Every structure is written in structure tokens, then in C-alpha cells.
Amino acid sequence: MTTKRVWPMGLLPDALFALAVTVFAQIDVAVRLDNSTPYGPLPAVVAATLVATAVLALRRVAPLATAVTVALAVGGPMLVTPLTVTLWGDFLPILIAGYSVARHSSRERAATGAGAIVAGLVVVFLRNPESGTVANIPFVAVPLAACYVAGRVLRARARSQSDDRERAQRLEAEREEAIRAALAEERARIARELHDIVAHCVSVMVVQAGAAEDLLDRDPPRARAPLQSVQETGRQAVGELGRMLGLLRGERSKLALKPQPGTADLAGLVEHMGGIGLPVELTVEGPERSLPPGVDLTVYRIVQEALTNALKHAAPTTARVVLEYDEQSVRVSVRDSGPAGGHGGPGDPVPGRVGHGLIGMHERVGLYGGTLETADAPGAGFTVEARLPLPAAQR
């Protein structure tokens, strides 16, 4: 199996660059392109120049080590004997190393690298007669300082751009997360609405179909009314589903949408439930007031779901709905009078009761900071009680 060699980022281009500088520096040493005055043994000059230029291959991978190595290669041999100082083999590597340590290192490491280079230059000035003149100080210091400052400026700009990219990526991720959360919330809302529509209508249809079946053999003419109720409820379910699917398809403008139901429609709901075999008593306590649309819809859906559950799980029964207004909240309770034990014991309700309906009630009430309690009623039946706080504007 062949293993593919992976080069560190920037190593190959820097290796080729270092090779070009090394070759040119060795040519400079051999033919003295910069007219430098020869000092010391030629093999030592060649070796020092070779080290100072070849290590530039690591200028981005290990910038501090590169700067220290260049400083040692240029200034170290001078402690033993003065050597030739060339423009391409000594001064150019110093400038490149100074820029690289400033560009690719932290502030502390960059200062350390710059200190090592300055120390190497001090040794050169003290030991090489040609370089150790006052006139050469600006010639060396100004380019070196310019390279160091340029490296720090470019590093700061690159980090700023990197921070901007990270910030943009973070904002994009937050935006996508917000979109996902909004989609999840919308899916949950649509699921609740579909459940309320389908569960109520289908439950009514099942009950009425069962009543019609009982009457077909005993009193066929009386079976007509439950069957008509099944038809009417089925049409309502199809219409509501059509509206909901139209919204999902973006066909809002083509639909004759009716307003969402609320507390004003409770009387109609009670009358409808009574017509299909669940007598319901509705009581309103306290001064009626206008509710926020979401709270208004929640109250209606809680009553609708509770009565539907009573129709499914506790028939034959009756139910009582109490809607109470006070200064701080609106309360609604629904109690049916199903047979004793028909809803399970305390803390052990019938599985049919603990389904998506009750979960949806809890979600709706929790959305508006309210509370919901469901339990078997003392003696018989099942009770659903909800309290929804009112915003200050509605108090």
C-alpha cells in the first residue's frame, strides 16, 4: 500500500524559496557579487551562509527557531574569527527571518526572535571591521525595523480577517439554528392544530357511527341523524385539513380562511357536542374580557380536547365547562361525569387519556406561562383545569 506524504502548510513553497536563496548566496560568496571584503576561511563562510539560508525553509513552520538559527549562523562564528558578511548570504536571511518571526509568531515569541537577531548583528558589528561603522547602523536598522513592523501589521490584519470570518460563521450558524428552531416550533404548532382538528372530528364520527350502527336494527329511521352528523363532521374535517394543507403549500390567498376559534365560539362547541350525544353545561364567571389571540385559541382548544376525550373515553356521560375571569388570569375547567374508575386510579390514568391530546394541552399552556392539571375527579369522572396569566395590557 502506498502512503501519501502530507507536507505541512507552507513548507514546500518555503523550501523552494530557501533553495533559491541558498544557491544565489553561494554564488555571491564564490564571485563576490556585492563586492564584500573577504574575511576568515572560505569553508567557514560557506558553511555559515549555507545554514543561514537553508533554515529559511522553516520560516513559517518554526519562525522563532528560524530567527535564532539565522542569528547564530551569522553572529556565532564571529566570536571565533571575523568572517565575510555578504548581502545575499547574511543580510537577506536576517531580514527574512525578522519578518517571518514577526508575521507568524505571538508578540512574546516575536520579541524573542527579534532580540536574537539584534544580538547576532551586534556581534557582527563588533567583530567585522567592514560592518562595524556608525554609517552602517541606519542601513541595517531601518530595513530590519521595517520588516518587523510589516510582519506585525500583516499578522494583525490577518487575525482581524480571521476573527471576522469566525464571527460571520458563528452568526451564520446561529441564524441556521434559529431557523431550525423556528421550523421545529412551526412543525409542533401545525402538529397540534392537525391533532385538534382530526382528533375531534374523527372522535365525533366514530361515536356517531357507533350510535347509527346500534339504531340500524332497532330503529332505522333514527339512524339517519347520526349518519348525517358523520357526514357533516367529515366535511368539516376535510375543509379544515384543506385549509391547513393550503397554508403549507403557500396558497393562503386562494383560501377563504375563517378566523381561529376562541372563547366566543365555546357556546357553539357546547351546542355541537350536545347534538352528538354529550350534554355539556357552560358557565362563565367574572367579567368577560378580550383575550390575546393565542390565549383565546388555547382556551378553546383545551375545552375542545377535554370534551373530545370525554366523548371517547367516558361515554355515556355529561360534562361541565367553567370559564372564569379574574384580574390576573383566565381559568377554564372541564369535568365529565364518567363512570367511577373509568379513567383509572389516581396517578394511573387510562393510557388513552395520556396521549398527544394532553401533551398538546401542556405545550399550549406552557407556551403562555400557564399551568395545567389533569386528574380523576373525586367519585367519578375526569377533570382538566388550566390557568393562563394575562398580560398587563389585558388586566
Side-chain angles (χ1 to χ4, degrees), residues 261-268 288 296 300 323 325:
T263 53
D265 301 287
L266 288 179
E288 296 187 36
D296 205 30
Y300 181 89
L323 180 63
Y325 297 90

Side-chain angles (χ1 to χ4, degrees), residues 366-388:
L367 184 63
Y368 296 99
T371 58
L372 178 73
E373 296 180 1
T374 59
D376 289 329
F382 194 80
T383 301
V384 176
E385 295 184 356
R387 176 186 177 277
L388 295 165

Side-chain angles (χ1 to χ4, degrees), residues 10 43 57 82 92 103 133 139 155 222 253 261 288 297 303 335:
L92 180 60
R103 174 65 177 82
T133 62
F139 177 77
R155 177 178 175 84
R222 289 183 59 193
S253 60
E288 296 187 36
L297 175 62
V303 175
R335 176 177 177 177

Side-chain angles (χ1 to χ4, degrees), residues 34-77:
D34 58 355
N35 296 320
S36 57
T37 303
Y39 289 94
L42 183 60
V45 175
V46 170
T49 300
L50 180 63
V51 172
T53 54
V55 77
L56 295 178
L58 304 176
R59 69 184 192 89
R60 278 190 283 187
V61 177
L64 178 58
T66 299
V68 172
T69 302
V70 170
L72 291 174
V74 173

Side-chain angles (χ1 to χ4, degrees), residues 337-364:
S337 57
H343 308 287
D348 183 27
V350 172
R353 288 277 180 148
V354 185
H356 294 292
L358 292 183
I359 294 174
M361 288 187 197
H362 280 284
E363 290 180 350
R364 286 184 181 276

Side-chain angles (χ1 to χ4, degrees), residues 215-380:
L215 292 172
L216 280 176
D217 294 332
R218 295 184 292 104
D219 192 354
R222 289 183 59 193
R224 184 182 303 276
L227 290 176
Q228 290 176 343
S229 178
V230 170
Q231 293 177 356
E232 178 62 27
T233 305
R235 282 194 292 267
Q236 292 178 3
V238 171
E240 292 293 338
L241 288 175
R243 292 186 181 91
M244 184 64 67
L245 294 176
L247 288 176
L248 296 178
R249 298 191 194 103
E251 300 174 356
R252 182 187 299 267
S253 60
K254 300 178 183 179
L255 298 170
L257 298 180
K258 62 181 181 181
Q260 291 277 32
T263 53
D265 301 287
L266 288 179
L269 176 63
V270 166
E271 181 180 357
H272 172 66
M273 298 302 292
I276 60 176
L278 177 63
V280 182
E281 176 187 352
L282 174 63
T283 303
V284 179
E285 300 179 357
E288 296 187 36
R289 65 188 66 193
S290 176
L291 300 177
V295 175
D296 205 30
L297 175 62
T298 297
V299 171
Y300 181 89
R301 292 303 189 197
I302 289 173
V303 175
Q304 182 187 49
E305 181 64 28
L307 294 179
T308 300
N309 283 343
L311 188 66
K312 289 193 296 183
H313 303 296
T317 184
T318 61
R320 183 168 187 260
V321 178
V322 178
L323 180 63
E324 179 183 357
Y325 297 90
D326 60 31
E327 293 299 323
Q328 304 294 327
S329 63
V330 57
R331 302 182 184 182
V332 61
S333 67
V334 181
R335 176 177 177 177
D336 62 62
S337 57
H343 308 287
D348 183 27
V350 172
R353 288 277 180 148
V354 185
H356 294 292
L358 292 183
I359 294 174
M361 288 187 197
H362 280 284
E363 290 180 350
R364 286 184 181 276
V365 172
L367 184 63
Y368 296 99
T371 58
L372 178 73
E373 296 180 1
T374 59
D376 289 329

